[in-house]
Amino acid sequence: MKEFTFYNPTRIEFGSGKEDTIGAHIASAGARKVLLCYGSERIKREGLFDTVSQNLADHGIEHIELGGIVSNPVISKVREGVELAKHHSVDAILSVGGGSVLD
């Protein structure tokens, strides 16, 4: 086997009120534009999307939206995310919601 180093820094924030701190976490990492991924439209109906979007904006972070992610995402949705990330030159990926977007 060929030698290599794999570095995969992932931060998972879980719990009540975390949506109010996400902008600070992302800004501290130096990201200015994120791909905001979510599953169903439920996060919009319940106000979570607006809260997160506003918190990002308050920290000078722009977001590009990718919704409709289902459990065990299909490759076409993954490719859609890759294209959006490339086209908009995002610095980070932010997944908001349940397990589907973490898949």
Side-chain angles (χ1 to χ4, degrees):
M1 178 187 222
K2 212 172 184 184
E3 290 186 28
F4 66 93
T5 300
F6 178 70
Y7 177 67
N8 187 20
T10 300
R11 181 180 193 135
I12 298 175
E13 294 285 335
F14 183 83
S16 179
K18 295 296 183 174
E19 65 275 14
D20 297 322
T21 63
I22 195 63
H25 287 302
I26 291 173
S28 72
R32 307 311 301 156
K33 189 184 294 187
V34 299
L35 180 63
L36 175 54
C37 302
Y38 61 92
S40 73
E41 295 293 312
R42 179 181 54 88
I43 74 164
K44 289 187 174 182
R45 284 192 310 271
E46 295 178 3
L48 179 57
F49 184 88
D50 290 338
T51 301
V52 170
S53 297
Q54 186 60 55
N55 193 268
L56 292 171
D58 290 347
H59 288 86
I61 300 166
E62 184 182 344
H63 72 274
I64 308 305
E65 193 176 321
L66 176 62
I69 298 174
V70 297
S71 295
N72 303 312
V74 294
I75 193 68
S76 59
K77 186 55 95 171
V78 175
R79 289 184 178 135
E80 180 183 350
V82 168
E83 287 304 312
L84 281 171
K86 285 180 178 179
H87 179 75
H88 294 282
S89 301
V90 301
D91 303 309
I93 298 172
L94 171 60
S95 298
V96 177
S100 297
V101 295
L102 295 178
D103 286 349

